[in-house]
Amino acid sequence: MAKYLSEHHRVTLITSAFPEKGYERSYDIGNANLIEVPLKFYWKNPYTLSKQNTHEYNSRISFLRKLKAELRVPLERVFPISSGGMLYHDMNSYKREIEKLISKEKTTVLITTYDPWFTLKLGNYFKRRYEKLFWIADFRDPSFGIHESKLSNLPLFRMQTKKILRLSDLITVVTKYMQQSYSELTSKKVIFLPNGYDGSLHFGESSNKIKKENHLSIAYTGSLHPRTREISCFVTVLEKVTTISPQVKLNFNYAGLQADIVESEFSKRRLGKLLNNHGFLKRDQALELQKQADILLLIAYTGDDPETGKSIRTGKVYEYLASGKPILAIAPRDWELKEEIECDGVSKVFDKNQIDEMAQYLVDLARRQKIEINFQKRKEVIEKYLYKNLALQLERELESLVRERERDQL
């Protein structure tokens, strides 16, 4: 979003950084300036991990992991920490860098993104010091009612969020469910500003191509997560397909860090011949893998709390929509993206327990020589989530805030 905001405004991004080299940032920030603040402490750097084995993955559901998820909620209120490798941020350095950028002559907008919690503290701190500052509190994740933490459901954490947002000028959230939750929490304006996509639309490259009859190539590119984003139910679907329709030839391509877990799930069901395990791929390589597939698998949520799952929007969904490929999504029945995914007339959203229905869906697609989707409908959906359009939406909200304040000062 900063890339497009920087076309008409002076934009600076401030973020924490790992000291190691050896990994490249793949995003384009346009004319924006980037300031990286070295971390004070971290346990591991997820960007330098090449793969994740089965033992490490399974340990995530251990008592220690659950304890860490619960402790994080109260501890982040006190210390400048965040998940993703037990990160301890240098909050004072953030303050110094922000202080340099606040202008007394021109309008300054400070956007703080949660998580971590200390960014909200920064917003509150500078708003108290500079009355003319515009503070936008942006939430990419919920600050209370977190699906991994029962403790976060206590009224205390909801009230802490309400209290710290009292001085904010605008609140942005990434799901419609969060928009409802935060609108009930505060009288401030809460707008839906989801994650999005910045890249080419691939509708014309392999649109409605001819495929082999009784063949189906499936691709999944992305991460997995114990309990909330598992692949086991879909491997069971593939097993079902081989039983009810042996003549159908399946091919499953996986690209991600959890290659060992995927291989283990296929081996359990003696489906190893169906699997092409590519391991971790760079983004361009992953996009090429998607381009070669007949259909893309999207695992949005496989957890046990449908109420929580219906609002989860993995960033992968926008990339998949831009691919022009049919999508099979696994998510709760009332998932808030269901209608948009299914608008193209071919893509389908299934609950994780709809094993038979998913199997029959794949069989039906495999039997076709041509899978035709409504690209116009798909284009209308993805255009809403292009970052250039999301940035324009945010820009309009900012202009509205500025005009409103100017009227109040008259």
Side-chain angles (χ1 to χ4, degrees):
M1 214 160 327
K3 170 184 174 181
Y4 294 102
L5 289 174
S6 69
E7 291 179 357
H8 306 108
H9 308 278
R10 181 183 174 189
V11 177
T12 301
L13 290 171
I14 306 177
T15 185
S16 296
F18 294 97
E20 296 101 341
K21 305 297 181 183
Y23 69 94
E24 299 176 355
R25 298 186 183 275
S26 60
Y27 51 79
D28 176 10
I29 61 172
N31 298 320
N33 181 39
L34 176 65
I35 296 174
E36 295 183 297
V37 177
L39 288 160
K40 276 193 169 183
F41 171 84
Y42 64 97
W43 179 54
K44 64 179 180 181
N45 182 348
Y47 295 102
T48 59
L49 298 176
S50 59
K51 72 174 186 176
Q52 191 168 36
N53 62 36
T54 308
H55 174 72
E56 184 179 356
Y57 180 85
N58 290 336
S59 71
R60 288 186 170 195
I61 59 176
S62 66
F63 172 76
L64 182 61
R65 175 173 175 79
K66 292 178 182 177
L67 180 63
K68 187 171 72 171
E70 297 295 353
L71 287 177
R72 173 205 145 191
V73 179
L75 288 177
E76 74 169 2
R77 262 64 173 181
V78 181
F79 303 103
I81 61 171
S82 66
S83 56
M86 294 186 183
L87 314 181
Y88 194 97
H89 304 267
D90 189 346
M91 186 171 174
N92 287 330
S93 290
Y94 271 81
K95 284 184 177 179
R96 287 193 292 271
E97 295 295 347
I98 295 171
E99 188 76 51
K100 297 174 189 175
L101 297 166
I102 295 178
S103 172
K104 294 180 180 178
E105 292 80 27
K106 298 181 180 180
T107 301
T108 301
V109 178
L110 175 63
I111 304 175
T112 61
T113 296
Y114 177 88
D115 77 89
W117 180 267
F118 85 90
T119 61
L120 294 170
K121 285 185 174 181
L122 288 171
N124 188 60
Y125 170 80
F126 282 104
K127 184 64 178 179
R128 288 179 183 277
R129 293 192 64 195
Y130 298 95
E131 185 180 348
K132 292 184 178 180
L133 179 78
F134 285 92
W135 173 30
I136 299 178
D138 175 58
F139 290 86
R140 300 291 99 180
D141 294 290
S143 56
F144 59 90
I146 304 166
H147 71 272
E148 288 187 331
S149 168
K150 293 181 179 178
L151 189 65
S152 69
N153 288 300
L154 293 176
L156 168 66
F157 300 107
R158 180 184 173 90
M159 293 306 297
Q160 283 183 333
T161 300
K162 180 177 182 178
K163 182 179 179 181
I164 205 166
L165 291 176
R166 280 188 305 183
L167 296 179
S168 64
D169 294 289
L170 181 69
I171 299 166
T172 59
V173 296
V174 292
T175 71
K176 293 177 182 176
Y177 180 79
M178 285 177 65
Q179 185 179 28
Q180 179 182 340
S181 298
Y182 281 79
S183 294
E184 293 171 354
L185 182 74
T186 175
S187 59
K188 305 290 183 178
K189 186 175 184 180
V190 181
I191 67 168
F192 170 53
L193 195 72
N195 294 312
Y197 178 76
D198 186 37
S200 302
L201 302 183
H202 305 288
F203 297 164
E205 296 178 14
S206 54
S207 305
N208 297 330
K209 70 175 184 179
I210 301 296
K211 56 176 280 298
K212 289 183 180 180
E213 188 177 353
N214 286 325
H215 281 70
L216 198 67
S217 176
I218 308 163
Y220 179 79
T221 61
S223 62
L224 300 169
H225 194 286
R227 296 188 185 276
T228 61
R229 200 158 60 245
E230 291 187 303
I231 201 170
S232 58
C233 60
F234 187 74
V235 184
T236 301
V237 170
L238 298 182
E239 183 181 30
K240 184 80 175 180
V241 171
T242 61
T243 302
I244 64 174
S245 191
Q247 73 274 22
V248 169
K249 305 301 180 185
L250 297 172
N251 181 276
F252 186 83
N253 291 278
Y254 170 74
L257 288 172
Q258 289 89 21
D260 288 358
I261 286 83
V262 176
E263 193 168 310
S264 174
E265 291 293 340
F266 274 76
S267 296
K268 285 178 191 176
R269 298 164 181 81
R270 299 181 180 180
L271 298 177
K273 291 183 179 180
L274 307 185
L275 175 64
N276 293 314
N277 220 332
H278 299 267
F280 180 75
L281 295 179
K282 291 183 178 179
R283 185 171 182 273
D284 289 347
Q285 295 172 315
L287 291 175
E288 185 61 32
L289 196 65
Q290 294 173 19
K291 193 187 300 184
Q292 300 306 318
D294 297 315
I295 185 169
L296 305 178
L297 170 66
L298 175 70
I299 305 177
Y301 184 76
T302 58
D304 297 324
D305 185 353
E307 188 65 20
T308 296
K310 72 180 184 181
S311 66
I312 290 179
R313 289 171 173 247
T314 167
K316 186 63 64 176
V317 68
Y318 308 110
E319 184 178 286
Y320 274 19
L321 284 168
S323 72
K325 294 288 183 175
I327 300 168
L328 187 161
I330 301 177
R333 294 174 190 267
D334 55 352
W335 188 38
E336 65 181 38
L337 269 166
K338 178 180 171 68
E339 186 176 333
E340 292 176 312
I341 291 291
E342 295 185 346
C343 75
D344 61 32
V346 177
S347 298
K348 198 75 177 173
V349 177
F350 294 95
D351 178 86
K352 65 176 180 177
N353 296 314
Q354 292 181 282
I355 303 297
D356 292 345
E357 292 87 343
M358 280 190 272
Q360 190 58 54
Y361 172 75
L362 292 178
V363 170
D364 292 342
L365 287 183
R367 287 173 177 166
R368 302 184 193 180
Q369 284 190 304
K370 199 172 185 181
I371 302 176
E372 297 186 0
I373 74 173
N374 188 328
F375 291 111
Q376 182 56 39
K377 290 287 187 183
R378 176 73 73 85
K379 186 179 179 182
E380 290 171 7
V381 170
I382 190 60
E383 282 184 341
K384 293 191 297 184
Y385 301 114
L386 294 177
Y387 272 120
K388 63 180 179 180
N389 293 332
L390 293 172
L392 182 60
Q393 179 187 349
L394 179 58
E395 193 172 38
R396 287 170 179 164
E397 291 290 344
L398 290 174
E399 290 171 352
S400 177
L401 281 174
V402 172
R403 286 195 300 269
E404 186 177 330
R405 181 176 291 181
E406 288 174 347
R407 284 196 301 267
D408 292 342
Q409 291 174 347
L410 292 177

